[in-house]
Amino acid sequence: MSPKFSRPLVIVAAFALSLAIGLALTLWLVGGSRTLSTASAIGGPFQLVDQDGKAVTDKSLPGKPTLIFFGFTHCPDVCPTALFEISEILRVMGKDASRVNAFFVSVDPDRDTPAIMKDYIASFDPNLKALTGSPEAVAKIVSAYRVYVKKVPLKDGDYTMDHTALIYLMDRNGQFVAPFNIKRSPEAAATDLKRYL
Ligand code: NI
């Protein structure tokens, strides 16, 4: 095939592959949520601190629906984009935004101290809380939420983190509902989220 046609084909193939991976991951997550109160359910005990050093644990979830997003402050694009989109949803919710927990959980505790998290999260909606903790505490929540995380060395000696970019929606009882779709208008997402208040 001529190079003229092969490039779009590669793009289409890459797009199809990313869709397939996303679908498989969603089915895997949703499948896990059906086996309630088994070891494979999503969620579980954790103990972290927010950007002000205040403890946030699994006991902080019940009473409000919760959005949880895992990432890291050095993330070049995926995390800031997702946090911007979540901020837009919270902004559209107005007063109701305070009736939702919105947590950004670091998967890079070595670099993401509470002070770094505080500085970073200041760019986003004030209802967003940035959580971090010891490497052990982060490993525990990463495992409980079945988050994929991989440290990837960069050529300059630095490193980046590959990670799951799903938004987890937990209900008022702290139980996993489904991945929350933020790839739609903030108004549509806010309307959807309000159903769980
Ligand atoms: Ni990221």
Side-chain angles (χ1 to χ4, degrees):
M1 188 179 288
S2 83
K4 191 176 164 193
F5 293 107
S6 64
R7 192 158 163 263
L9 199 65
V10 167
I11 292 168
V12 168
F15 181 64
L17 182 67
S18 70
L19 278 184
I21 291 170
L23 183 65
L25 202 60
T26 303
L27 290 174
W28 180 60
L29 284 168
V30 172
S33 72
R34 283 203 199 97
T35 52
L36 285 173
S37 69
T38 69
S40 63
I42 289 174
F46 67 85
Q47 187 149 19
L48 299 169
V49 289
D50 70 11
Q51 69 273 17
D52 296 315
K54 199 171 151 230
V56 175
T57 75
D58 51 295
K59 306 271 191 306
S60 313
L61 270 58
K64 296 177 179 181
T66 302
L67 295 179
I68 307 183
F69 178 65
F70 292 83
F72 65 116
T73 62
H74 284 68
C75 183
D77 42 34
V78 175
C79 291
T81 303
L83 291 172
F84 172 75
E85 287 164 344
I86 295 170
S87 293
E88 284 297 288
I89 296 165
L90 295 172
R91 184 181 60 77
V92 165
M93 287 184 80
K95 275 190 204 159
D96 283 338
S98 63
R99 299 170 63 198
V100 174
N101 292 312
F103 297 142
F104 172 56
V105 180
S106 176
V107 296
D108 186 12
D110 290 339
R111 292 188 292 200
D112 289 340
T113 61
I116 297 269
M117 295 294 265
K118 188 179 176 101
D119 191 43
Y120 184 76
I121 207 68
S123 307
F124 302 100
D125 188 276
N127 290 290
L128 261 164
K129 283 189 177 168
L131 312 186
T132 189
S134 67
E136 294 75 24
V138 168
K140 193 171 181 185
I141 189 169
V142 159
S143 167
Y145 283 77
R146 296 205 230 156
V147 180
Y148 167 80
V149 179
K150 189 165 180 264
K151 194 170 183 170
V152 181
L154 298 173
K155 279 175 190 161
D156 58 5
D158 209 349
Y159 67 91
T160 188
M161 306 292 287
D162 277 355
H163 65 93
T164 304
L166 290 172
I167 318 292
Y168 293 75
L169 171 63
M170 316 299 282
D171 67 16
R172 288 170 53 92
N173 300 315
Q175 298 294 317
F176 175 71
V177 178
F180 190 70
N181 177 16
I182 57 169
K183 300 296 174 191
R184 50 184 161 170
S185 75
E187 290 77 13
T191 301
D192 189 12
L193 189 53
K194 280 183 184 177
R195 297 192 298 129
Y196 297 91
L197 290 175

